[in-house]
Amino acid sequence: MDLKKKTSQLLIGSFLVYALLVATHLGEFWPFSVYPMFSQAGRPWNRSLVRDVDANMISSDDLWKEVKLGDLPGEPVPMVPLGISQNDMANMVSKTKVWDSDRVLGLRKLFDKYLDEKIFLVFKAHGEKVDNEEEPVSVKFTPFILLSADTTIFNPNLDIQFK
Amino acid sequence: MAFLQNVRLPQWLYSNLFDYEAEETKGDFYAFKFFELVVLVYVIQFAWDWGFYIQKISDVVLPLGMANYIDVSFMFHHNISLVNAAIMVVAGLVGFFRLNKYGYAVCLVSFHLHYISRYCLGEISHGSNLVGMAVLLLALAQWSFGNTKNMRVFALGMTYFYFGFGYTSAGICKLIATGYTWVDGSNLWMWIYERSVDVTSKQGFFEPNLLQEWALSSHLFATLTLLFGILAELTAFLIWFKKTRTFSVLILLGMHIGISISMNIMFMENIIIMFSVMYPWGRIIDRFLPSQAMGTHK
């Protein structure tokens, strides 16, 4: 077979497979992708952040209060030294629609080694554009779930679905 | 797929991507081997980084790729992900050292399984896509052409094509999802704030750099930054053409450096792979070698 024919068949054939797979899998079938990251500009976003809080916080009235960055309680818990991917944390917290025991165990497993000594409060962070020249983006932090050695408590003020 | 029997690429595209007639020099050989080495190093890195991380996972939040059809939770226990990592690395080495023409193909299958197991927690990571595409194209080249000079020409041509296509499709996605207002500087503010939360979560604190401060204080500067980014992506198909390839890659490298400074996201794999494959390194290496021709071995 001549080189041009063989090359054409391989390129066009592989491209058709590429197109078919990304078209039927929301633009992603690794390593094929249409690279849609950052395509939806200006929309509100949800991320997460973890704080190390002390035991007194658990009984505090302010435990589940929505706060701004400067008012976050406790100490920061950086994910890098824990070997946890920030993106995994943020997506697990923001994309889980129904929390069942497997999902809770999955979240706890990420922090397994540290919960004997620490109490972690996981916050959902929500950002959106606001009409304010000084601060054009509003970022609010809502306590979502508290994890300790023997306890998992969800924010009772949120509408969370459980199974 | 009978219609593929009669398809032919247009000559303008074929001649720009695939130069089978050119004699292979030692520089070409070593430059291609270096490209393969870069890909192999990433394969080894992903194999073990992900292999250990997968053992921490216990639930599938977002099924990707083949995980839509098979339950990948078997990878989470009994160190199976580490066995898969070993298969991935060995198969990659078999491909690299030309021990078997299916080496890279086995590596790719194993790599896909690794990816869908690692990224099942709700996140889609694009950092490894170019590495995966490179393995796929090396697999296709090795499978179809054996270990010959034509394998190199085919693998490089396909790499140019898919890298150009991938970046251009990223630009088109932005226009489809948001429209021309994508370049509005306030959108960059949103991403900088979002990244400030991510960086705080990762390392415990966030300090905006100079470029971020400029972008946050000037709507025009932020808009121009985004305009440069989308133009770099939309024109990435220029990689397909010999005359504009180097220029286009330079623009894309600039875009990646811009993203890393403005949004603290470093696409290191993209930068290194593009840098290693898109420049005519063969010609540069030849200047330092006494005898250049390798002889053809089609």
Side-chain angles (χ1 to χ4, degrees):
Chain A
M1 191 189 300
D2 74 86
L3 278 172
K4 185 173 181 183
K5 183 177 178 184
K6 187 174 181 178
T7 301
S8 300
Q9 287 177 353
L10 287 166
L11 192 150
I12 294 169
S14 63
F15 187 71
L16 289 176
V17 172
Y18 187 134
L20 185 71
L21 287 174
V22 297
T24 52
H25 292 83
L26 302 172
E28 300 284 349
F29 196 99
W30 189 94
F32 302 137
S33 176
V34 291
Y35 300 99
M37 66 278 206
F38 303 119
S39 58
Q40 297 187 335
R43 301 200 181 179
W45 47 258
N46 293 300
R47 306 302 290 166
S48 76
L49 193 137
V50 183
R51 303 288 287 191
D52 179 4
V53 296
D54 63 53
N56 298 332
M57 267 299 286
I58 300 178
S59 52
S60 162
D61 290 341
D62 292 339
L63 177 64
W64 302 116
K65 209 171 107 184
E66 182 181 274
V67 289
K68 291 205 157 196
L69 182 65
D71 303 322
L72 284 166
E75 297 296 319
V77 180
M79 297 290 104
V80 173
L82 304 189
I84 297 169
S85 158
Q86 155 58 17
N87 288 334
D88 286 339
M89 260 300 297
N91 284 292
M92 202 167 177
V93 168
S94 64
K95 288 186 180 165
T96 298
K97 291 188 177 127
V98 180
W99 285 85
D100 58 17
S101 55
D102 285 347
R103 191 57 50 86
V104 173
L105 283 174
L107 183 63
R108 288 187 63 89
K109 192 177 173 188
L110 291 175
F111 298 103
D112 238 4
K113 282 190 276 182
Y114 310 94
L115 292 179
D116 282 343
E117 298 169 3
K118 307 263 185 190
I119 300 171
F120 288 160
L121 184 55
V122 180
F123 285 82
K124 269 187 175 181
H126 178 79
E128 61 186 11
K129 280 185 191 176
V130 287
D131 195 13
N132 179 350
E133 277 188 23
E134 292 288 309
E135 194 80 16
V137 180
S138 153
V139 184
K140 287 177 181 164
F141 296 84
T142 308
F144 182 68
I145 186 169
L146 185 127
L147 306 168
S148 67
D150 50 9
T151 317
T152 303
I153 310 172
F154 284 87
N155 184 342
N157 305 325
L158 299 179
D159 185 18
I160 300 168
Q161 291 187 53
F162 299 98
K163 193 165 86 177
Chain B
M1 293 295 221
F3 72 94
L4 280 176
Q5 290 296 321
N6 299 316
V7 296
R8 293 287 187 285
L9 289 170
Q11 188 58 32
W12 59 265
L13 183 61
Y14 178 77
S15 59
N16 271 290
L17 293 174
F18 306 99
D19 193 0
Y20 290 110
E21 300 306 318
E23 191 174 12
E24 184 180 51
T25 66
K26 283 184 183 172
D28 293 333
F29 176 82
Y30 289 127
F32 184 63
K33 218 57 200 165
F34 178 72
F35 164 60
E36 280 189 78
L37 183 64
V38 168
V39 174
L40 184 67
V41 168
Y42 274 120
V43 165
I44 294 169
Q45 184 194 321
F46 288 135
W48 297 111
D49 280 359
W50 297 356
F52 286 105
Y53 198 89
I54 290 165
Q55 292 299 300
K56 290 187 199 174
I57 301 172
S58 65
D59 197 16
V60 177
V61 178
L62 177 74
L64 295 169
M66 285 304 294
N68 287 290
Y69 309 101
I70 57 169
D71 180 4
V72 292
S73 57
F74 73 92
M75 289 280 286
F76 305 157
H77 316 287
H78 311 301
N79 294 325
I80 293 175
S81 60
L82 299 180
V83 174
N84 192 50
I87 294 170
M88 214 169 126
V89 171
V90 170
L93 288 167
V94 167
F96 182 82
F97 288 109
R98 310 284 189 259
L99 300 176
N100 186 288
K101 72 173 188 171
Y102 302 114
Y104 282 127
V106 173
C107 179
L108 178 75
V109 173
S110 189
F111 203 170
H112 181 83
L113 180 61
H114 227 46
Y115 177 87
I116 61 179
S117 306
R118 165 62 187 86
Y119 288 104
C120 67
L121 287 177
E123 172 72 1
I124 294 169
S125 165
H126 288 113
S128 65
N129 279 66
L130 285 193
V131 181
M133 279 308 292
V135 175
L136 167 69
L137 300 174
L138 286 168
L140 200 56
Q142 197 170 41
W143 191 322
S144 307
F145 291 91
N147 298 316
T148 64
K149 167 206 156 189
N150 288 346
M151 174 199 165
R152 177 183 64 81
V153 176
F154 178 78
L156 285 177
M158 293 287 274
T159 305
Y160 300 146
F161 177 78
Y162 277 109
F163 281 24
F165 175 77
Y167 278 102
T168 305
S169 75
I172 293 169
C173 277
K174 292 173 175 65
L175 292 179
I176 292 172
T178 304
Y180 68 92
T181 57
W182 187 89
V183 298
D184 184 327
S186 66
N187 296 328
L188 182 58
W189 297 345
M190 282 285 277
W191 286 315
I192 292 174
Y193 273 79
E194 183 178 354
R195 292 299 299 158
S196 75
V197 173
D198 276 344
V199 173
T200 305
S201 178
K202 277 167 79 171
Q203 59 193 37
F205 64 93
F206 171 76
E207 285 288 336
N209 59 41
L210 204 56
L211 190 77
Q212 287 166 332
E213 284 180 357
W214 284 347
L216 290 171
S217 61
S218 165
H219 185 266
L220 178 64
F221 181 75
T223 300
L224 290 174
T225 304
L226 292 183
L227 184 64
F228 171 75
I230 199 166
L231 288 178
E233 287 187 339
L234 288 171
T235 56
F237 67 90
L238 295 175
I239 288 174
W240 296 349
F241 305 96
K242 285 177 193 168
K243 284 185 180 168
T244 49
R245 187 168 298 148
T246 303
F247 173 74
S248 181
V249 170
L250 201 62
I251 299 288
L252 287 169
L253 288 174
M255 179 194 76
H256 274 303
I257 291 166
I259 291 173
S260 72
I261 299 172
S262 63
M263 292 204 264
N264 300 84
I265 302 174
M266 180 63 101
F267 287 93
M268 189 53 91
E269 301 89 354
N270 298 41
I271 292 172
I272 291 181
I273 287 188
M274 275 205 297
F275 196 65
S276 67
V277 76
M278 298 296 178
Y279 281 86
W281 295 117
R283 271 184 263 156
I284 296 167
I285 295 170
D286 284 334
R287 286 187 202 155
F288 298 96
L289 293 175
S291 168
Q292 295 171 9
M294 291 283 289
T296 54
H297 41 90
K298 292 179 188 175

